[in-house]
Amino acid sequence: MLKRTLACALFAITGHAYSADIQVTTLVDEDKNDAVCSLREAVEFLNKRSQKEFENGYHGCGDKDASSTIILQRDQTYQLNSALNIKAATTIRTASSDAFNDNKRGLNNATIKMLGSDRLFVVDDANVESALLLVGLIELNLQGSSSKVNDGGLILNRENLSIQYSRLIGGSANRGGAIYNAGVSSDAKNTAGYVSINNSIFQNNKADQGAVVYSEMPMYLITQSVIRDNEGATGPNGALLYVQTGFNNDTIGGALYARSSGIRSSTIFHNKGGYIANIREGMVLNNNTMIKNAAGLYLQSLKWKVTTVTDENGEKKETVKEYPGAYVSNSILVANGNSNCVNTSDDTTVVQSNLTTSDCDRNAEERLPNFMWNANDPEQALIAGGTNDEGICTAPPAKGLLCPFSIPKDQMLGFFKPRLLTSYKQLSDSLIVNKGRIYSDGTTFSLASCEATDQRGKSRTGYDELCDLGSVELIVDRSNISVAGVDIRFKQVANFSIANNLLDGELLDPNSCEQLLGKRSDGQAWRYGCLDIVQNQTPSKGKVSIDQDGNVTYVPDSDWHGADMFKMRIMTTITRFNNATNYYIDIPTNIVQDPPDTFTSKTVNVSGGSWGVGAILMLLGLVGIRRFKS
């Protein structure tokens, strides 16, 4: 009862913002004729609203003006005893924040949790004649049962399913630990489901085949997402993302040109058991970071044959050209068990423009070579610091091509950020930065172009022709510099961080500063980031120090009252490769110092005295009389 009351209170507070949407007003899984709307009843209303007897609502949910969107409250858990069957166009989402300009998507998701021994959703209207239903799941945590189901631990889909800013966790199945995507394409009927996942996390899902997704055809697309800690069976059939049947010869080309099947701008790590994915005809994997998994990719894509018919002197002539059936490009594919790639004898997958190993060096164009990673070379150590590949990046001059996996503050998704080592003499020494191609290689057919944005949604626009390998692009956006500094009182020391202003770089260590710039003219030692202070509108009123993580300490010279305004100029592992006139990032900084607050609050004495309650009421009455007379 307490949960129901809480949910109803939340509905009363926020319901006005979604007047046309269907508000779920209880956390309990029920279907009975009352005034309370459960998630099950909301779904059932949308399924039945086309029937005249339900057009004005179903068991407390919806009316004739209701939209097809179901709203759940933030940070609440909605329990299910059995699967929900979605048979109509539906969107289920968490309520948006009331805060102005809230960009923390995915941090306050409603949770849908299975208490029974079933999956959460069956998305199927059982009609192959009509177009696929559009079904959206937005900002939700989907938590599976402890019981193992047959197909689809969380979702069984045969429609057009879109998932955004969601967590799919704890699903268990024989096939499709998180999602089973059913159906094989037919020329005449809509028999195959499609799944698109964006800005989401798959974690702790298990299955014998397809611990993350089992798809009967390559009808899935995962972008800007994280796949970690899932577990499949060993061998090709145990791939985390498993495809049963590739596109046929007539449909491979359309899938490749549309780039509608595969994985892009995503991070895949620490998965156990099987291969990351089996690669079938029509799939494109591009700009992914795939490291530290039990096994790499299983390549089994057949040739794509294109037949053209020409008329020569009244005779028809057929010409057959063969093309590759799948592409893996612009990615980091290393440290995945004993092999990063295994292929069948008839595989034609093109693996080009990747940081990888020799077992993946397949069919690459001369202009788009792979770059070989040597696990035994200390200069090519993969991760810089952290614990179990996660945590804080060890500062320069430490080795490591990538920072450990970390999740920035107030964000949902983490990533491995590339590094530029201080040992590099020139930018081209990097095995990752500027090794991808933004544009096609110019041949008759190629899908080697980089993604327009990285996993974080940042544009890959730093250079005209090159991008960084993997899911994250190093970005130096000087327009994104925020003002640093804090307000303090007399006798206080200012402590603040400029880490958010490093623009994907790391502060250079003092030795590297001296190698690059020589000794300081004042004879002092260089500080982290080659720190230089430039006063703006005031003379210097204090001393600044900085550590390797960008934490700044400012000690005032005295108890002055006012502001110390200056620029902190710092150099990072990225900006050191700029022109000498553009080495530094300028960070505007304001320190405001005030005397101690000696103001004493004069509160109302309610027990009497010269300014008691009666006197205040009398004054208010006089004010009212004055306003009335005026």
Side-chain angles (χ1 to χ4, degrees):
M1 188 64 189
L2 176 61
K3 289 183 177 180
R4 176 176 295 180
T5 303
L6 173 63
C8 289
L10 287 170
F11 164 66
I13 293 170
T14 62
H16 67 279
Y18 307 94
S19 57
D21 297 333
I22 303 168
Q23 302 287 333
V24 173
T25 57
T26 178
L27 307 178
V28 179
D29 186 13
E30 61 184 19
D31 189 354
K32 60 184 181 180
N33 194 4
D34 56 18
V36 177
C37 179
S38 70
L39 176 57
R40 182 174 302 278
E41 291 165 335
V43 169
E44 199 61 17
F45 165 69
L46 294 179
N47 289 342
K48 295 180 175 180
R49 70 185 305 176
S50 61
Q51 303 174 36
K52 188 171 182 60
E53 60 267 39
F54 298 112
E55 64 182 3
N56 287 317
Y58 174 82
H59 290 185
C61 294
D63 56 39
K64 63 180 181 180
D65 297 320
S67 73
S68 296
T69 298
I70 298 170
I71 300 295
L72 307 182
Q73 297 306 320
R74 296 160 68 84
D75 299 312
Q76 300 299 309
T77 298
Y78 297 79
Q79 301 174 346
L80 296 179
N81 299 313
S82 60
L84 295 177
N85 295 287
I86 298 178
K87 303 177 181 180
T90 302
T91 297
I92 305 175
R93 65 176 305 151
T94 295
S96 300
S97 171
D98 289 334
F100 176 73
N101 198 27
D102 180 17
N103 294 317
K104 301 176 184 178
R105 299 193 67 180
L107 296 186
N108 299 102
N109 290 358
T111 297
I112 303 176
K113 180 179 180 180
M114 175 52 66
L115 293 183
S117 56
D118 205 347
R119 64 181 67 87
L120 295 174
F121 297 107
V122 175
V123 185
D124 185 4
D125 67 354
N127 183 351
V128 298
E129 303 293 337
S130 59
L132 295 178
L133 297 177
L134 298 180
V135 176
L137 304 176
I138 304 173
E139 291 189 82
L140 301 173
N141 298 331
L142 306 181
Q143 187 171 335
S145 167
S146 58
S147 301
K148 187 177 184 179
V149 303
N150 190 30
D151 292 334
L154 299 177
I155 301 171
L156 173 61
N157 175 67
R158 197 188 287 269
E159 304 297 335
N160 189 343
L161 175 64
S162 172
I163 301 173
Q164 301 176 48
Y165 293 97
S166 295
R167 296 176 179 85
L168 291 86
I169 53 179
S172 180
N174 293 321
R175 300 186 298 180
I179 300 173
Y180 187 102
N181 188 50
V184 176
S185 295
S186 165
D187 292 338
K189 299 183 184 297
N190 297 298
T191 53
Y194 182 76
V195 179
S196 62
I197 297 107
N198 175 257
N199 283 290
S200 295
I201 301 172
F202 290 91
Q203 189 170 9
N204 296 330
N205 300 289
K206 295 182 179 181
D208 300 324
Q209 287 184 286
V212 176
V213 174
Y214 184 107
S215 191
E216 294 184 17
M217 289 194 73
M219 300 283 283
Y220 74 84
L221 178 62
I222 299 173
T223 57
Q224 296 173 311
S225 295
V226 173
I227 301 173
R228 58 170 301 182
D229 306 316
N230 302 284
E231 185 173 354
T234 57
N237 289 335
L240 302 169
L241 295 132
Y242 184 82
V243 172
Q244 175 183 300
T245 305
F247 288 107
N248 62 37
N249 197 68
D250 295 330
T251 55
I252 291 173
L256 289 176
Y257 277 116
R259 305 175 94 206
S260 57
S261 300
I263 314 165
R264 309 206 301 260
S265 297
S266 295
T267 297
I268 305 173
F269 76 108
H270 280 193
N271 295 288
K272 303 174 184 177
Y275 291 95
I276 296 169
N278 68 320
I279 307 304
R280 302 300 303 259
E281 301 81 15
M283 296 179 64
V284 174
L285 276 67
N286 198 37
N287 277 119
N288 299 301
T289 299
M290 300 174 281
I291 64 172
K292 298 297 188 80
N293 299 288
L297 300 176
Y298 189 75
L299 310 175
Q300 53 178 148
S301 172
L302 303 179
K303 295 177 182 178
W304 169 34
K305 297 181 179 180
V306 178
T307 301
T308 57
V309 179
T310 58
D311 191 337
E312 296 183 6
N313 299 322
E315 295 185 6
K316 291 184 177 180
K317 182 178 180 181
E318 287 190 355
T319 303
V320 179
K321 290 187 177 182
E322 296 180 341
Y323 296 93
Y327 285 79
V328 179
S329 53
N330 297 319
S331 296
I332 299 172
L333 179 59
V334 296
N336 296 296
N338 296 322
S339 57
N340 292 296
C341 291
V342 171
N343 60 276
T344 59
S345 59
D346 53 0
D347 171 66
T348 65
T349 304
V350 173
V351 185
Q352 60 187 10
S353 189
N354 301 283
L355 175 63
T356 189
T357 48
S358 58
D359 52 346
C360 294
D361 196 18
R362 295 183 48 76
N363 305 317
E365 295 284 345
E366 182 178 348
R367 293 178 57 191
L368 293 164
N370 291 303
F371 303 93
M372 296 298 112
W373 178 67
N374 183 356
N376 299 316
D377 183 353
E379 192 73 13
Q380 298 184 27
L382 188 57
I383 307 294
T387 302
N388 195 27
D389 305 319
E390 298 188 62
I392 304 298
C393 201
T394 304
K399 303 300 182 185
L401 301 179
L402 302 169
C403 281
F405 183 87
S406 63
I407 304 174
K409 181 182 178 182
D410 294 333
Q411 293 186 28
M412 177 184 176
L413 299 176
F415 48 83
F416 293 94
K417 185 175 69 175
R419 302 178 73 230
L420 286 171
L421 306 185
T422 55
S423 58
Y424 295 162
K425 302 302 181 185
Q426 51 196 1
L427 199 57
S428 59
D429 291 339
S430 172
L431 291 172
I432 296 173
V433 176
N434 286 359
K435 289 298 190 288
R437 295 280 176 176
I438 287 181
Y439 303 117
S440 167
D441 61 2
T443 55
T444 304
F445 184 82
S446 176
L447 291 170
S449 58
C450 291
E451 297 303 308
T453 58
D454 72 358
Q455 180 184 308
R456 303 171 296 178
K458 296 188 176 183
S459 297
R460 295 179 180 267
T461 56
Y463 297 88
D464 290 339
E465 296 182 0
L466 306 174
C467 72
D468 301 341
L469 302 181
S471 64
V472 173
E473 181 87 3
L474 292 181
I475 304 291
V476 179
D477 180 6
R478 296 175 189 271
S479 66
N480 199 28
I481 301 293
S482 58
V483 177
V486 293
D487 294 351
I488 58 174
R489 301 290 183 182
F490 290 174
K491 311 301 182 188
Q492 291 183 340
V493 172
N495 293 290
F496 55 96
S497 174
I498 61 167
N500 289 338
N501 284 330
L502 300 186
L503 307 182
D504 281 350
E506 301 169 78
L507 291 175
L508 280 184
D509 62 287
N511 287 337
S512 297
C513 292
E514 184 168 327
Q515 293 174 14
L516 184 66
L517 302 173
K519 293 186 177 296
R520 285 176 54 129
S521 58
D522 58 8
Q524 297 183 17
W526 285 106
R527 293 172 283 185
Y528 284 101
C530 317
L531 178 65
D532 184 31
I533 302 296
V534 177
Q535 292 299 135
N536 288 344
Q537 302 175 24
T538 64
S540 176
K541 300 178 181 181
K543 294 180 176 60
V544 179
S545 60
I546 189 171
D547 70 14
Q548 61 187 16
D549 297 319
N551 298 308
V552 179
T553 299
Y554 175 93
V555 181
D557 291 335
S558 62
D559 289 342
W560 45 264
H561 183 196
D564 192 353
M565 304 174 68
F566 54 89
K567 285 190 302 187
M568 285 188 292
R569 308 182 71 230
I570 53 100
M571 192 184 306
T572 72
T573 50
I574 300 177
T575 62
R576 77 181 182 99
F577 288 107
N578 290 353
N579 183 282
T581 61
N582 205 22
Y583 276 153
Y584 285 95
I585 297 172
D586 292 341
I587 303 173
T589 309
N590 295 335
I591 305 295
V592 177
Q593 184 175 239
D594 292 314
D597 185 359
T598 58
F599 176 75
T600 302
S601 177
K602 300 293 192 298
T603 58
V604 174
N605 184 351
V606 297
S607 61
S610 60
W611 286 100
V613 173
I616 292 174
L617 291 174
M618 185 181 298
L619 284 174
L620 291 174
L622 291 173
V623 170
I625 292 172
R626 180 181 178 88
R627 291 185 61 189
F628 179 77
K629 287 184 177 181
S630 62

